[in-house]
Amino acid sequence: MAEVITIVNMKGGVGKSTTCFNLSHALAARGKRVLAIDLDHQATLTYLFGQDERALEKAEKTLYYSIVKEKPLSSIILPGSPALIPSSIALSTVDVDLMMSQNYTVGILRDRLQEVQNDFDFILLDCPPALNILVSSALASAHFVIVPVKTDILSILGIPLLLDRIESIRMRSNPRLSILGILPTIYNGNLNNDKEALQSLRWISEEKKIPLLDPIPRSTKYDKAATQTTPVVLNTSGDIPGVEVFYTLADRIINYA
């Protein structure tokens, strides 16, 4: 049965999709069966996988049609290693649609995942920058959480609230849920602001007794890889900083499971 890993932060632009994309490929490179699920209506993860979310939306092959229209999750999986369940703009209305249908429980995503859990070793959930119904359901479905945080002060302000929400869901509906770590991203060790932000994350991790993972360095090569829809973890030149962090994290996840 698959271990479910939710990648979450209330703030956008902190590297959630990049983390999900590269971590899913790192796990697949370790020989694991991996499914990545895009829960964000902006469909960044879907784009990184080289998919056209508009065409998939037209074909009703996105997550919205399983969550709201109750299509089997297996019918919208795009095969591959890793496999993908894509998103689309339709997912932007999911909170309203679920409330109007009166069909919502915090376990709705967990219920959908049961159909495919035996087909994969790991399922990664890439969350939108929010604390909405779908994010709560993703946390209620997960075994582990990773919190990517860009190393600037504005990105750190909401972290204590997010950690409190994760703890609340763990206490109320998902006792197995644990945080694998806070993952500093887009880090420039030459800038004092980044160093101060990293120190703030260190204090938060110590206070909350949550691991602080090694930072992912800032590099334009991540942007270039994104435009080419290529995971940096499969780059063999050895010139992209931070690749080893994704493999170290993949190994940690495998050892936890």
Side-chain angles (χ1 to χ4, degrees):
M1 182 174 290
E3 300 287 333
V4 180
I5 302 158
T6 292
I7 299 170
V8 64
N9 191 321
M10 295 184 296
K11 195 172 188 308
V14 301
K16 292 187 297 296
S17 297
T18 298
T19 298
C20 187
F21 184 55
N22 284 287
L23 182 57
S24 63
H25 278 86
L27 287 165
R30 294 292 197 239
K32 301 302 178 181
R33 300 170 301 161
V34 184
L35 173 64
I37 304 182
D38 192 346
L39 276 69
D40 188 350
H41 72 271
Q42 297 174 90
T44 302
L45 183 66
T46 301
Y47 168 80
L48 289 174
F49 270 84
Q51 299 295 330
D52 182 349
E53 59 101 356
R54 291 168 296 183
L56 292 165
E57 170 65 24
K58 187 175 180 180
E60 299 187 356
K61 295 276 289 184
T62 66
L63 181 64
Y64 175 86
Y65 293 95
S66 180
I67 295 296
V68 177
K69 303 298 184 180
E70 301 187 20
K71 289 186 71 170
L73 208 59
S74 58
S75 70
I76 58 172
I77 292 176
L78 303 182
S81 182
L84 171 70
I85 291 179
S87 181
S88 68
I89 191 65
L91 211 58
S92 62
T93 66
V94 68
D95 280 20
V96 173
D97 291 340
L98 287 174
M99 286 187 289
M100 289 182 63
S101 71
Q102 298 181 339
N103 192 34
Y104 168 72
T105 68
V106 74
I108 189 168
L109 184 57
R110 181 171 53 211
D111 292 343
R112 296 287 189 275
L113 290 174
Q114 286 181 358
E115 179 201 355
V116 300
Q117 287 230 258
N118 290 329
D119 298 328
F120 298 96
D121 300 308
F122 296 100
I123 298 174
L124 278 63
L125 308 178
D126 181 29
C127 291
L131 281 180
N132 58 14
I133 287 175
L134 204 52
V135 172
S136 295
S137 188
L139 290 169
S141 305
H143 302 101
F144 304 112
V145 181
I146 297 170
V147 183
V149 186
K150 183 181 178 183
T151 48
D152 65 45
I153 297 303
L154 292 178
S155 296
I156 293 172
L157 291 177
I159 296 304
L161 175 62
L162 174 61
L163 296 178
D164 287 345
R165 172 61 70 88
I166 293 170
E167 177 61 16
S168 174
I169 289 176
R170 187 189 71 80
M171 294 286 292
R172 297 173 63 180
S173 60
N174 187 3
R176 187 181 167 180
L177 183 64
S178 64
I179 301 176
L180 278 175
I182 298 171
L183 177 65
T185 62
I186 320 177
Y187 176 67
N188 188 339
N190 295 319
L191 298 179
N192 287 333
N193 285 341
D194 286 45
K195 292 178 182 178
E196 291 171 4
L198 186 62
Q199 181 58 48
S200 295
L201 287 175
R202 190 171 290 112
W203 289 332
I204 291 171
S205 71
E206 290 172 355
E207 178 185 0
K208 299 289 188 179
K209 295 180 173 58
I210 296 168
L212 181 66
L213 305 171
D214 291 336
I216 304 293
R218 182 178 304 179
S219 173
T220 58
K221 293 181 178 180
Y222 283 87
D223 296 329
K224 183 178 180 180
T227 61
Q228 296 173 342
T229 63
T230 303
V232 298
V233 294
L234 300 186
N235 181 285
T236 57
S237 65
D239 64 345
I240 299 181
V243 168
E244 71 284 352
V245 177
F246 289 114
Y247 279 107
T248 298
L249 183 53
D251 291 338
R252 170 181 268 185
I253 290 168
I254 292 168
N255 290 332
Y256 263 102

